[in-house]
Structure formats: C-alpha cells, structure tokens
Amino acid sequence: MKNYIAKTGSMLVAVLTALVLALSLAGCQKATDKMDEVVNSGLSKVEEASKSEYGSAQEIVDLYSAKMEKQAKVLGKELKKEAPARYQQDGTLAKLLKEKTTVLADLYGKGSAEVSNYILYSSGNSSQSPTPFVDDLYEAYTKATDILMDDYQDALSELM
C-alpha cells in the first residue's frame, strides 16, 4: 500500500510538473506573441513617419511660415475686435495677447516637428541637421508675433 501511495504521489508530482511546464510554455508563447505585436506596431509607426507628404524640409518651412503669417493677420483682427470687451473684463489685454500668441507658438511647434521628422525619416540624408530649418521657422514665428504685437499696440492705443 505504501508503495502504491508513493508511486501515485510520484506520478501526481510528475503530472503537476508537466502541467506547470506546459502552462509556463503557453505563457511564454503569449508573451512572445505580445512582444511581436509591440515590435510590429513600432515598425508600422516608423514606416508611417517615414512617409512624408513633403518634397523637402524647405517646403515645410515655407508652408508653416505662410500659415503663421496668415494666422497672425487673422488673430490680429480678432484681437482688435475682442479688445474692448476683454479690457473691460480683465483690465488688461495681456491674457488676450497670450491666447493669440499661443496659436502661433503651436504652429511653430508643429512645423518644427514636421521638419525634424522629415529629416530623420524621409530625407535619406541622416547627416543633415534640422537646426537651420527650425531657425528659419523661428524667424517666421518672430515675424508673425510682430504682426500680432502691432495689432495689440493699435488696440491698446484705441482703448487709452
């Protein structure tokens, strides 16, 4: 009887060990599948980033420079229109100016990201630096904020 219990216990331990190993291997397969999924997803994102709708980094600079200039003119008109009510409400136009300038800053940020992604993934020239293009975008951003500041000064002088 003791022999039977020992054999049965040994068989039970062997079966449980085999079951644990099978479950572990199944878990490893699931983990491997998950890792493959993550890696493939990352590769897809890199492929998407490498597909650019632009022909050059300069094209991106020109496009975003024009967007910022156009947007500055629109924002300036809005600022002048909103100035009297905002001045009465806030006692200043600083918050209004900040809101309008933030729109331009967002465009500058998007343009800079587009240039960097283009150079990194699409241009085929990995030694090229995005810095000169981002500097050009910053210059365009500065000009756009100057347009907005002129309208701010006009609105402020009309209120005083």
Side-chain angles (χ1 to χ4, degrees):
M1 182 76 158
K2 287 183 184 179
N3 230 358
Y4 175 75
I5 293 173
K7 283 184 180 179
T8 305
S10 293
M11 285 178 58
L12 185 58
V13 168
V15 169
L16 288 174
T17 303
L19 183 60
V20 167
L21 284 173
L23 290 174
S24 295
L25 290 175
C28 287
Q29 184 60 46
K30 285 182 181 179
T32 301
D33 291 345
K34 185 66 175 173
M35 186 174 295
D36 288 345
E37 182 182 317
V38 169
V39 168
N40 289 332
S41 171
L43 290 174
S44 295
K45 289 179 183 174
V46 168
E47 274 182 17
E48 286 174 27
S50 66
K51 295 176 185 171
S52 178
E53 59 192 69
Y54 304 106
S56 68
Q58 187 59 51
E59 181 182 337
I60 298 168
V61 170
D62 295 342
L63 175 72
Y64 275 88
S65 295
K67 281 184 179 184
M68 284 187 282
E69 183 179 348
K70 182 178 178 181
Q71 192 65 43
K73 291 175 182 177
V74 170
L75 292 168
K77 287 179 185 176
E78 289 175 4
L79 187 141
K80 285 181 176 181
K81 184 178 178 182
E82 297 170 19
R86 286 297 290 269
Y87 189 77
Q88 269 189 327
Q89 177 186 345
D90 299 338
T92 182
L93 294 181
K95 289 180 186 177
L96 182 60
L97 179 62
K98 181 180 176 190
E99 291 168 12
K100 303 299 182 187
T101 306
T102 299
V103 174
L104 296 175
D106 288 344
L107 279 172
Y108 166 69
K110 287 176 186 175
S112 297
E114 289 283 347
V115 165
S116 296
N117 285 335
Y118 177 82
I119 289 173
L120 182 62
Y121 298 112
S122 301
S123 71
N125 186 357
S126 60
S127 64
Q128 187 178 22
S129 170
T131 303
F133 300 103
V134 173
D135 288 347
D136 289 347
L137 274 174
Y138 185 75
E139 187 176 318
Y141 166 73
T142 303
K143 287 178 182 176
T145 55
D146 287 346
I147 292 169
L148 190 56
M149 284 302 296
D150 289 343
D151 289 331
Y152 169 79
Q153 292 293 334
D154 292 345
L156 200 55
S157 67
E158 289 175 14
L159 291 171
M160 298 294 163

